[in-house]
């Protein structure tokens, strides 16, 4: 079973990689409450897609099988898995538990 800390490291890595590409004035704080999607989001839509692709790849590597974070199930959640880092972490942990 994958550990929450490992998943959180993957998410933080993807966000920090994005931050490294931004100008100093555009950088954002990376923590469990970082908003990923919505009115308060730190990311634009293209940046969010980039982060999702990076996270999917790294999590798939950790699990040993592919996962999709942007399927119909994710999009139909009452609370979007992309609201913030915590919600993305929780959604990935559900997917990991189901695939174990």
């Amino acid at each position: 079973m994958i550990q929450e800390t490992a998943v959180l490291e993957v998410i933080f890595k993807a966000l920090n990689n994005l931050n490294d590409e931004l100008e100093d004035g555009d950088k954002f704080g990376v923590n469990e409450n970082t908003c990923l999607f919505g009115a308060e989001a730190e990311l634009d839509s293209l940046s969010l897609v980039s982060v999702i692709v990076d996270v999917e790849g790294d999590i798939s590597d950790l699990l040993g099988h592919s996962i999709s974070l942007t399927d119909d199930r994710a999009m139909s959640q009452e609370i979007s898995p992309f609201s913030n880092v915590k919600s993305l972490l929780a959604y990935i942990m559900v997917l990991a538990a189901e695939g174990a």
Side-chain angles (χ1 to χ4, degrees):
M1 175 54 99
I2 193 169
Q3 298 291 321
E4 268 192 26
T5 54
V7 174
L8 195 56
E9 285 178 18
V10 166
I11 297 169
F12 284 170
K13 176 184 161 195
L15 291 170
N16 284 323
N17 286 344
L18 174 63
N19 245 348
D20 289 344
E21 297 173 7
L22 298 175
E23 298 292 326
D24 286 341
D26 295 330
K27 294 185 187 294
F28 54 90
V30 175
N31 59 60
E32 289 187 12
N33 295 312
T34 301
C35 292
L36 305 174
F37 180 74
E40 303 295 318
E42 299 287 351
L43 313 178
D44 61 25
S45 57
L46 289 177
S47 296
L48 178 59
V49 169
S50 175
V51 167
I52 290 169
V53 168
D54 289 349
V55 170
E56 278 180 339
D58 287 350
I59 294 297
S60 293
D61 289 345
L62 285 175
L63 292 173
H65 60 85
S66 64
I67 64 165
S68 176
L69 299 176
T70 57
D71 59 6
D72 290 338
R73 179 177 171 189
M75 299 306 152
S76 66
Q77 298 288 310
E78 187 173 323
I79 297 174
S80 171
F82 310 109
S83 296
N84 59 38
V85 170
K86 277 194 262 189
S87 61
L88 181 56
L89 172 63
Y91 187 65
I92 292 170
M93 294 307 296
V94 167
L95 294 178
E98 290 174 354

